[in-house]
Structures are given as C-alpha cells and as structure tokens.
Amino acid sequence: MQKRPNVILIVADDMGYGDFGLFNDGPARTPCLDELATQGVCLSQHYAGSPVCSPSRAALLTGRYPHRTGALTPMEVRGMDRIALDEVTIGDVFKQSGYATGLIGKWHNGALDKRYHPNARGFDEFFGFCGGWMDYFDWCVDRNGRRETADGRYLTDVFTDEAVGFVTRHRHDSFLLSVMYNAPHTPLQAPDDVIQPYIDAGLNTGVAITYAMNEIMDRGIARIVETLDALGLAEDTILMFTSDNGPAFSLAGRPDQVPEGVSTDLRRYNCGFNGAKGSVYEGGIRVPMIIRWPGGLERCRQVEEMVHGVDWLPTLAALCGIKCLVGRSLDGRNASKVLHGESNASPARFWQLNQFEPVGWINAAMREGAWKLVRPRVAQRSKTEVDERFMERYIELDIKYKYHPDEVTELMSEPAPNLITSPPGEIELYHIENDPLEKINLAISEPERTGRMLGELQAWFEDVEAERQRIQPDGSILEIVDD
C-alpha cells in the first residue's frame, strides 16, 4: 500500500508579508522562507479566517467560520478562545484516517479546561502552551498534560527541536504535524546577537527585536526542511507556511510584553497594505501562504486566486485522499484545483471581529470576486469605572495564566463590561484587484453592488450568530428540533 503524503503546517504568529526578506524593503532576513516561496506554490491572495489569533486558528482547524465554533476572541480566561466540543478538527480528520497527529507550539483554542486540550481535539502528541503568549526565555509548556519548564533554550528553538523529533519518530508513518510558532508575537524577546544587526541597520529596538524573532523562526524552518531532506521525506511531504493574521503594529496597554525603554510602536513595512492585526482591512487578514510538495505540485508558481483559511481542512483532506468526518457542515471548499493551476473562483467570504458579544456592523468585511465591502471598526470605551476595572482584571489574570497556570483554575465570572459605542462608520467598497491598498472607496459610485453586499454580509452574520447561540456554557451544542 502506497504511503499517503505527510502534512507539515507551519503557522507564524502576527507575521505579515513585509516581514519576509523576499517582500521587505529593508534588512529583514528570512532566507529559508524566501527560498520556499520560489520553490513551491505562493498564494498572493490568501486570507486568514480572522484578523486575530484564536478565531483565525479555529477557522484553520475546523474549516468553519469562527463564529460558528464559539472561538470569538483571544480572551482565554473568559473562554472566548474555545472551539465548541462537537466541532471536528483537522486533527480528528487525519487521526481517524490513520495518520499520526501532532501539534507543537501555541494552541490558544481552549485553555483552563482539559476537555479543550489538543490531545482531546485530535492530536496524539502536544508540546506547547494552551494560552495566547509565552515568555521566550522563562517558559513553561505542556507535554501531553505534563508541565515542563525552561532549560536555557530559546522557546522558538525548543519548538523546532520538538518538530524535528516528531518527524524523525514518525518517518515511517503518514503524519500530520502542525507547528504553531509563537514568533513574532510578544513578549518582544530575542538573543542580543541576533537583534544587534537590525539596530545597526537603523531600526528602532522594537522592530529590530521583531525581525530577530522572525529570523530565528526562519532558521528553525530551515532545520525542518533539512530533516525532511535527510530522511528522504521531502518528495512526499506537503510543507506549508502561513500566519494567523497580519502584523501587530502597537503594544499600547501591555507594558508587560515590552522590554523597559523599548517603544510600543511596531509599525514597519507591510507592502503598503491598509490596517494591521485586529483590522478587517487587507493588512489584518491578507497573509502569506507558501506550499511545497515536490511529489504533487508544480514548482515555482504564484497563485492569484483567493483562498481562505476555512478552505484548508477540505483541501488537505482531498490532497491526501482522505474523507472528512461527518460533523457540522463546512464553510471551506476544496481548493486543490487552484493549487494545481486550474481556475476555480472562490465563493464570497466574510469576516467580523469585536470584543465581547459580536456586533455585525463593527469591523466586518465581505469579499466577493474582485470586490470587498468593509464596515470599519468604531471607537468603544468603558461606560463606568467598574467596566474599566474589568479589563484590568482580565490583563491581571492573563499574565498570571501565562506564568502560573496552576493558579488560574476558573474562568472570569464578571459580566462583560458596558461599552459606549460610536455610531457606524461610512460604508466602504474597494475593487481589490485594481486597488489592493484600499485607497479608493467606490461605495457611492456603486450603490447597487454596495446595497446587495451589505445585505449578504448581514445575512451571513445572522446565520453564524444563530449557530453560535446554540453553544452551551459546557461547550456542548443545544440541538433545536423544528416542530
């Protein structure tokens, strides 16, 4: 029986197009990723499932919009990062088909409850942390439910060591390995000798550290590639690299994640895209995707058709010749024809993000063919001092969870804060193929298209919200039987 292809899905954390040396206008160094982009298939219109971490990862893992799964925001100490318990993950699909499955690095789709642990969500092996960020030097991680602490190595290198070990152990198996690096997510930390050349190049310290973190991750990916070559696995391994969302440009309000004296301003080159992490503009959701599979895909090609994060579960299942498990209906489509160079236009895609309870007209977008409708983010502020203390309490628990997870045993019980929300912003419509930087708003000149897309965006939001409302506090789904 012929061995089925392996899959290694590598996901960076808060890395944009401009962080690649290949696309950068300055000193960024990512030689391995640059080479992979020229060796394999590079998608130029690839979109994350959300402009922030947990919902984006949920979309990638389940093939469904994050609203449906219950993973709404990265607020794990409020349970808002969790994927509902009846959701089928990519780990479940591949494990059921006989693959060895592993996840290394950042999980962030269910903390503080063993039912949401990666080992319970389809991954035979887990080494990493379940929350949103971790110290790179003074780290503590989870190995299949057992805690391990820092041993002098830099965390990115630790994850690389574990990935190389997994591939080596399972070289005779068909395997699915997800390597979820947390670089270049904060805290801003890297060895001084890697940072210094970027400072010498004239970058501010925060950006210099960010590029150094990317460089170390790139070295790790090179080690994974070398391992595949040495073991004779490269030909039959689908090797993928992407990011969970666009780059973070500001760390205001989180001094715990920035070295003393370092600016919280991380603005840097990102190919001119509008917006950044947290925004539904291109800079927040348009992210790199590189795929190298020498035995199955033509080399050195750029794919310009749109592919979305929800598409990868059904696409990888198709490429590997396995069936998706019976579960909830997928939003993703099989995009394997696109990877093989055939035209296969994507259906309309949607995004929406705000804190706490979702609001359909805040920070929402729809992409249909070349057109993109945007309902921009609006200002929200706490209504009372009690509401302000809520966020202080959240940050306090967030920090405690990262360093002392055993001390945080329950979710926040405080009700969500009351917010004063500004009126809706002006509707925006862009022709992305002609205007990828979103500079020319065509909403007024295209009233019929704008109105129709607004209606479709609202209908989508009502649909995913109706499904989300069925998720119970224990993570199960309330089944509604029609009369």
Side-chain angles (χ1 to χ4, degrees):
M1 179 177 177
Q2 185 177 2
K3 183 174 178 288
R4 290 170 295 186
N6 308 307
V7 178
I8 300 180
L9 171 60
I10 303 174
V11 182
D13 198 351
D14 296 356
M15 184 179 184
Y17 275 97
D19 289 339
F20 278 68
L22 181 67
F23 303 125
N24 193 264
D25 66 346
R29 289 190 296 273
T30 55
C32 178
L33 288 172
D34 297 348
E35 184 176 2
L36 288 175
T38 59
Q39 287 180 343
V41 177
C42 186
L43 277 64
S44 63
Q45 292 198 68
H46 177 253
Y47 288 86
S50 173
V52 294
C53 174
S54 301
S56 177
R57 292 161 189 264
L60 186 63
L61 289 168
T62 66
R64 286 161 50 82
Y65 284 117
H67 288 68
R68 298 192 197 279
T69 72
L72 294 174
T73 79
M75 303 176 78
E76 71 270 10
V77 294
R78 295 194 67 237
M80 298 182 75
D81 66 326
R82 295 174 167 183
I83 297 173
L85 293 175
D86 81 326
E87 295 287 342
V88 174
T89 73
I90 194 170
D92 293 320
V93 170
F94 277 76
K95 181 176 180 177
Q96 183 70 20
S97 297
Y99 273 66
T101 58
L103 191 144
I104 294 167
K106 174 175 172 175
W107 172 237
H108 212 185
N109 277 132
L112 308 175
D113 189 323
K114 292 182 179 178
R115 296 175 302 164
Y116 298 90
H117 190 278
N119 291 150
R121 306 312 300 264
F123 295 97
D124 297 317
E125 299 181 29
F126 172 63
F127 179 92
F129 57 96
C130 290
W133 59 274
M134 179 56 65
D135 195 282
Y136 287 83
F137 293 107
D138 185 21
W139 44 265
C140 59
V141 295
D142 176 319
R143 183 189 296 277
N144 299 323
R146 302 187 308 276
R147 187 181 184 192
E148 296 186 9
T149 55
D151 58 11
R153 291 178 293 165
Y154 183 71
L155 186 56
T156 300
D157 294 332
V158 176
F159 290 152
T160 297
D161 291 342
E162 292 294 325
V164 168
F166 181 94
V167 171
T168 303
R169 285 195 307 279
H170 295 286
R171 60 188 179 276
H172 300 304
D173 306 319
S174 293
F175 62 78
L176 166 76
L177 173 62
S178 182
V179 184
M180 302 285 196
Y181 285 112
N182 52 322
H185 193 288
T186 54
L188 296 180
Q189 297 172 335
D192 291 340
D193 64 321
V194 188
I195 299 170
Q196 191 60 47
Y198 293 106
I199 294 177
D200 294 342
L203 300 177
N204 75 49
T205 305
V207 174
I209 297 172
T210 302
Y211 282 166
M213 296 166 79
N214 286 333
E215 181 178 338
I216 295 169
M217 176 173 59
D218 185 79
R219 294 176 188 175
I221 296 168
R223 286 186 55 207
I224 295 172
V225 172
E226 291 165 2
T227 301
L228 292 174
D229 291 339
L231 296 176
L233 299 176
E235 186 77 7
D236 295 320
T237 298
I238 303 170
L239 178 65
M240 308 168 65
F241 176 87
T242 190
S243 178
D244 60 351
N245 46 250
F249 280 171
S250 174
L251 300 179
R254 293 308 299 263
D256 55 291
Q257 299 188 4
V258 184
E260 185 176 354
V262 174
S263 171
T264 60
D265 185 352
L266 297 184
R267 285 177 293 179
R268 58 193 186 274
Y269 181 75
N270 194 35
C271 301
F273 289 131
N274 187 19
K277 176 181 180 179
S279 164
V280 296
Y281 291 118
E282 296 291 279
I285 57 176
R286 189 163 173 170
V287 294
M289 173 58 83
I290 300 167
I291 307 174
R292 192 194 73 166
W293 182 20
L297 292 176
E298 183 182 348
R299 296 165 60 96
C300 309
R301 281 196 305 109
Q302 179 167 302
V303 171
E304 297 183 357
E305 293 194 41
M306 181 172 65
V307 178
H308 187 278
V310 295
D311 294 331
W312 289 112
L313 190 156
T315 299
L316 288 172
L319 291 174
C320 295
I322 63 180
K323 294 182 179 180
C324 290
L325 300 178
V326 176
R328 314 200 73 77
S329 60
L330 298 183
D331 293 302
R333 53 86 187 241
N334 175 6
S336 58
K337 289 184 178 180
V338 173
L339 301 182
H340 285 292
E342 299 180 36
S343 179
N344 186 14
S346 174
R349 294 301 186 199
F350 305 87
W351 299 265
Q352 190 279 322
L353 174 73
N354 64 286
Q355 286 189 321
F356 314 117
E357 291 298 308
V359 179
W361 52 266
I362 295 178
N363 201 30
M366 171 187 177
R367 178 78 192 269
E368 180 184 64
W371 295 90
K372 181 180 177 184
L373 182 87
V374 175
R375 303 212 68 175
R377 185 162 45 188
V378 299
Q380 292 184 290
R381 59 185 177 85
S382 300
K383 193 171 184 179
T384 68
E385 291 184 5
V386 172
D387 300 320
E388 292 178 3
R389 286 197 295 272
F390 173 92
M391 284 308 299
E392 295 174 359
R393 173 65 174 156
Y394 165 71
I395 293 174
E396 174 189 340
L397 284 175
D398 185 52
I399 295 171
K400 180 179 287 188
Y401 172 73
K402 302 307 179 300
Y403 293 103
H404 305 283
D406 53 314
E407 296 181 12
V408 181
T409 58
E410 296 182 0
L411 298 178
M412 289 182 69
S413 59
E414 298 93 327
N418 294 310
L419 301 175
I420 299 174
T421 302
S422 298
E426 179 183 0
I427 304 297
E428 300 172 15
L429 181 71
Y430 301 101
H431 192 285
I432 293 298
E433 292 182 4
N434 295 337
D435 180 26
L437 306 186
E438 298 169 303
K439 292 182 177 295
I440 304 171
N441 184 2
L442 301 174
I444 294 177
S445 61
E446 292 275 351
E448 292 185 9
R449 185 185 304 275
T450 299
R452 178 180 57 77
M453 291 180 71
L454 274 173
E456 292 183 21
L457 177 60
Q458 179 62 29
W460 167 81
F461 181 75
E462 292 173 358
D463 178 46
V464 295
E465 270 294 280
E467 191 161 356
R468 184 183 72 87
Q469 293 295 337
R470 297 164 69 180
I471 302 175
Q472 301 300 292
D474 66 353
S476 63
I477 298 293
L478 174 65
E479 295 296 341
I480 300 175
V481 180
D482 294 332
D483 293 334

